């Protein structure tokens, strides 16, 4: 084989080695000790194949067979990892959202409305609520920054004529012993969840107890498109309740799944790196006229920062009105 062929094969082996080690570290059964054994066996098969390619060509064929058997075993194990709705879930994702559509009225089961005192001290409350899409008036995008300017969690809030605001959020469905891991999100560590929650719950806990920086941007969208997006969330939630799926940090996250729902409603929206580094999503929306382009983006960003207002308001009944009060006064 030529040097280029050797190099390409080596690169493929090293990538497979790294992927397998990460997958086994995160997901292999049997506890810490057995996990290290599986990782050691995988590393030995890959490195033996790599050494045979470069150092001992006459051993290359047996080494490739050993690695092929190990790769097939690893792939079979990986395929066997299937999502489930039956686990010991953390309280804030314990219930699956379901919706029923009767004409313009949507009834949602398991809307979250927790009273948060801290991130670990709360009163859990799940409720049933109905929403008349004929009275839907607004859509806001909330971005909650928790790890620098590039990384934000994306939420979408729907406002109704009676003053209610309902937020949909695509999240990891973590178990009680788990915490968020961006790396784990690549390796089937978490199921996917769609949460519907009151703003006083889901925006307050991020701005207050969790200390995240929260922005709320009014979205420019026709009423018909707003209703379609609301129904898309309900449809996706129902399908997840019946057929669980894994969360994926890159391809099935809090922003890309929203994009998947919006794309059929607003044709022509392009893929963009800012759908992955969602902290820069306002720039994407501004460029494609999803935000009010009559004002500079920096002005919109300043008006959208509700962090202090949300944290100070607390989980009160008129939370939605309080976080919008200053922004509305600013634009008058």
């Amino acid at each position: 084989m030529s040097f280029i062929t050797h190099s390409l094969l080596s690169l493929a082996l090293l990538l497979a080695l790294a992927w397998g080690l990460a997958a086994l570290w995160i997901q292999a059964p049997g506890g810490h000790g057995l996990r290290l054994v599986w990782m050691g066996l995988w590393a030995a098969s890959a490195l033996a194949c790599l050494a045979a390619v470069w150092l001992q060509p006459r051993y290359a064929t047996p080494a490739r067979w050993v690695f092929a058997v190990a790769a097939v075993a690893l792939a079979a194990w990986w395929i066997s990892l299937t999502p489930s709705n039956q686990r010991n879930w953390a309280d804030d994702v314990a219930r699956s959202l379901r919706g029923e559509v009767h004409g313009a009225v949507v009834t949602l089961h398991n809307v979250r409305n927790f009273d948060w005192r801290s991130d670990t001290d709360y009163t859990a409350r799940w409720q049933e609520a109905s929403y008349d899409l004929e009275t839907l008036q607004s859509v806001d995008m909330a971005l909650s920054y928790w790890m620098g300017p590039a990384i934000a969690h994306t939420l979408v809030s729907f406002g109704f004529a009676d003053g209610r605001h309902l937020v949909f959020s695509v999240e990891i469905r973590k178990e009680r012993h788990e915490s968020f891991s961006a790396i784990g999100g690549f390796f089937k560590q978490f199921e996917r969840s769609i949460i519907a929650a009151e703003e006083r719950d889901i925006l307050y806990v991020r701005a207050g107890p969790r200390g995240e920086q929260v922005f709320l941007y009014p979205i420019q969208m026709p009423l018909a498109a707003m209703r379609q997006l609301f129904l898309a969330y309900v449809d996706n939630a129902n399908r997840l309740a019946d057929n669980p799926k894994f969360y994926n940090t890159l391809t099935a996250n809090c922003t890309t799944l929203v994009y998947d729902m919006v794309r059929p409603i607003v044709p022509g929206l392009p893929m963009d790196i800012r759908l992955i580094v969602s902290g820069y999503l306002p720039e994407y929306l501004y460029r494609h006229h999803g935000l009010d382009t009559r004002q500079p983006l920096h002005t919109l960003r300043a008006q959208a920062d509700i962090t202090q207002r949300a944290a100070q308001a607390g989980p009160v009944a008129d939370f939605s009105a309080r976080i919008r009060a200053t922004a509305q006064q600013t634009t008058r």
Side-chain angles (χ1 to χ4, degrees), residues 173-192:
R173 196 174 190 189
K174 60 185 183 295
E175 299 176 59
R176 287 191 180 275
H177 65 279
E178 292 180 323
S179 57
F180 177 78
S181 165
I183 301 300
F186 285 104
F187 294 98
K188 297 185 178 181
Q189 185 175 2
F190 309 109
E191 275 79 5
R192 190 189 311 169

Side-chain angles (χ1 to χ4, degrees), residues 251-314:
T251 62
N253 60 47
C254 64
T255 306
T256 59
L257 291 172
V258 176
Y259 172 77
D260 289 342
M261 287 185 277
V262 171
R263 186 172 52 179
I265 301 170
V266 186
L269 281 179
M271 284 294 296
D272 192 291
I273 188 61
R274 288 167 291 194
L275 297 170
I276 306 300
V277 285
S278 53
Y280 302 116
L281 197 56
E283 285 83 350
Y284 174 85
L285 292 172
Y286 192 84
R287 178 178 179 182
H288 297 288
H289 305 284
L291 302 180
D292 183 1
T293 55
R294 294 173 299 177
Q295 301 184 73
L297 181 56
H298 66 82
T299 300
L300 297 180
R301 184 177 282 113
Q303 294 172 356
D305 189 352
I306 64 165
T307 308
Q308 186 175 3
R309 298 196 297 277
Q312 291 177 347

Side-chain angles (χ1 to χ4, degrees), residues 68-244:
V69 170
V72 169
L74 182 69
W77 162 74
W78 181 253
I79 293 171
S80 74
L81 298 177
T82 55
S84 172
N85 278 332
Q86 306 301 319
R87 303 193 194 280
N88 186 21
W89 303 115
D91 288 339
D92 58 334
V93 290
R95 299 194 185 184
S96 295
L97 175 68
R98 283 189 179 274
E100 302 170 10
V101 182
H102 302 284
V105 177
V106 180
T107 299
L108 297 179
H109 306 277
N110 297 322
V111 175
R112 204 180 76 191
N113 190 14
F114 282 26
D115 285 321
W116 296 91
R117 291 173 290 276
S118 74
D119 200 20
T120 56
D121 181 18
Y122 47 81
T123 300
R125 185 188 301 110
W126 300 89
Q127 59 194 33
E128 178 180 305
S130 294
Y131 301 88
D132 185 350
L133 296 187
E134 293 292 338
T135 68
L136 180 58
Q137 291 185 329
S138 65
V139 170
D140 297 314
M141 179 190 69
L143 289 175
S144 187
Y145 291 79
W146 50 275
M147 194 175 71
I151 305 299
H153 182 70
T154 304
L155 312 92
V156 177
S157 180
F158 294 84
F160 293 83
D162 60 5
R164 290 187 299 168
H165 291 264
L166 181 73
V167 180
F168 287 102
S169 175
V170 178
E171 303 190 0
I172 64 166
R173 196 174 190 189
K174 60 185 183 295
E175 299 176 59
R176 287 191 180 275
H177 65 279
E178 292 180 323
S179 57
F180 177 78
S181 165
I183 301 300
F186 285 104
F187 294 98
K188 297 185 178 181
Q189 185 175 2
F190 309 109
E191 275 79 5
R192 190 189 311 169
S193 176
I194 293 181
I195 297 293
E198 298 284 335
E199 285 187 338
R200 65 180 295 278
D201 168 335
I202 202 164
L203 296 187
Y204 167 68
V205 70
R206 289 179 174 274
R210 295 180 187 172
E212 300 176 8
Q213 191 172 18
V214 180
F215 293 76
L216 192 65
Y217 293 90
I219 299 299
Q220 306 291 301
M221 179 180 284
L223 283 172
M226 294 180 190
R227 293 165 186 156
Q228 286 180 271
L229 182 56
F230 190 101
L231 291 172
Y233 269 109
V234 175
D235 180 61
N236 276 269
N238 285 339
R239 285 191 278 134
L240 272 183
D242 293 328
N243 299 293

